[in-house]
Amino acid sequence: MTEKDFRKVVTDLELTKLDKEEINNFIYSLENDLKSKLHYMKVNSLKKAGNLATSTIYSGCKNLDLMLVFDTPVLNSFPLMNQAAINEVWNYLVFEHNLDKNNQISLDSSSNSIKVILKNYTLNILIRFKDTLNYQINHFINIDDLRVSFINLASSEFNLFKNTIQLLTYYRDINNLEQITDYVISLLLYYGLSENFTKHTYELYLKEFVHAIDDFSKGIKIEQDDETYRNLNVEKVNIPKKQYMIIDVADPKVNITNNVGEAYIQELRKFKKIILKLLEAKVE
């Protein structure tokens, strides 16, 4: 594909006014329902997170990142309070929407979130609290904000960054690659651009993304440079070497790929082949 071809795809992937209205109406309706149906924990708001907060979602994408924020907790223990919130949200989703617990809903304790299929959307709902213990603030809300700040920082440095994430997540989704998250894509892309940037074209951005996958597959640690940590006001941390490492720039003591298996590596390699075919393809 030529640069002109990539730009046309990017234009087609831009959210339309109708897309924005549909998403906003869905969030508004779900927020009101949560506020009326949850009784033990009081809902403060349902906010945009992840791809919605960073404006990297593409038109037609059905994967929405949301943040469900509760008011000041009724329990003094964070673990008990958090489990109470998760239980109430889980039960609301399962019983109010008649979900199959084996196929339509799951819990991710590492991000304190519930993934659920609801009304044609796949939602990643982060469970958060407005005012609570320092543990929760340090380990969740602060990290959420830093991840958004990282995307915005990268976009200010590389002006095609967000649109390239849209391209990559679109081709990931249409090829049913389910293990590679938006955030990992952004970390790989920024690493590649920071290592070898030459000029602002989609072709070169995508090539640097492929270069980052190659480095990761070789066992090279994917970590951002010192200046990025300084700009985010995050202290860099050295952690034990693992075979595969992608360091979370918002929480550098965490290796996001610490427990990945061969299936994850194979999916990344498949993603690389898809991108390379795009770069080689000729569009009539």
Side-chain angles (χ1 to χ4, degrees), residues 70-100:
F70 290 97
D71 274 340
T72 304
V74 295
L75 299 172
N76 291 325
S77 165
F78 174 78
L80 290 177
M81 168 195 67
N82 189 58
Q83 192 60 53
I86 289 172
N87 288 347
E88 191 166 22
V89 176
W90 180 283
N91 289 333
Y92 157 80
L93 291 168
V94 169
F95 296 112
E96 287 291 328
H97 298 277
N98 298 313
L99 300 183
D100 181 344

Side-chain angles (χ1 to χ4, degrees), residues 177 180 184-185 188 209 213 216-217 246 257 262-274:
L177 305 179
I180 308 166
V184 163
I185 286 173
L188 286 167
F209 179 74
I213 292 178
F216 173 76
S217 299
I246 297 179
T257 51
E262 186 59 27
Y264 186 91
I265 305 304
Q266 290 302 322
E267 187 166 291
L268 264 179
R269 288 172 179 159
K270 181 178 179 181
F271 199 15
K272 170 189 169 180
K273 290 179 181 178
I274 290 166

Side-chain angles (χ1 to χ4, degrees), residues 6 9-10 13-15 50-52 54-65 151 160-189 202 206 209 213 267-268 271 274-275 278:
F6 284 123
V9 175
V10 167
L13 291 178
E14 290 179 1
L15 287 185
N51 57 7
L52 290 169
T54 58
S55 300
T56 53
I57 188 171
Y58 61 83
S59 179
C61 179
K62 296 300 182 182
N63 300 313
L64 305 183
D65 295 319
I151 302 296
L160 301 181
F161 190 82
K162 288 188 179 182
N163 286 341
T164 305
I165 291 177
Q166 288 177 319
L167 274 173
L168 288 165
T169 53
Y170 169 71
Y171 285 111
R172 174 201 63 191
D173 291 345
I174 64 172
N175 286 282
N176 299 314
L177 305 179
E178 298 180 349
Q179 297 191 60
I180 308 166
T181 66
D182 292 23
Y183 186 52
V184 163
I185 286 173
S186 69
L187 291 169
L188 286 167
L189 178 60
Y202 288 111
L206 293 173
F209 179 74
I213 292 178
E267 187 166 291
L268 264 179
F271 199 15
I274 290 166
I275 302 306
L278 287 175

Side-chain angles (χ1 to χ4, degrees), residues 137-150:
I137 294 172
N138 291 336
H139 288 261
F140 290 113
I141 288 181
N142 190 42
I143 291 171
D144 297 332
D145 291 341
L146 282 169
R147 287 180 173 182
V148 172
S149 295
F150 165 67

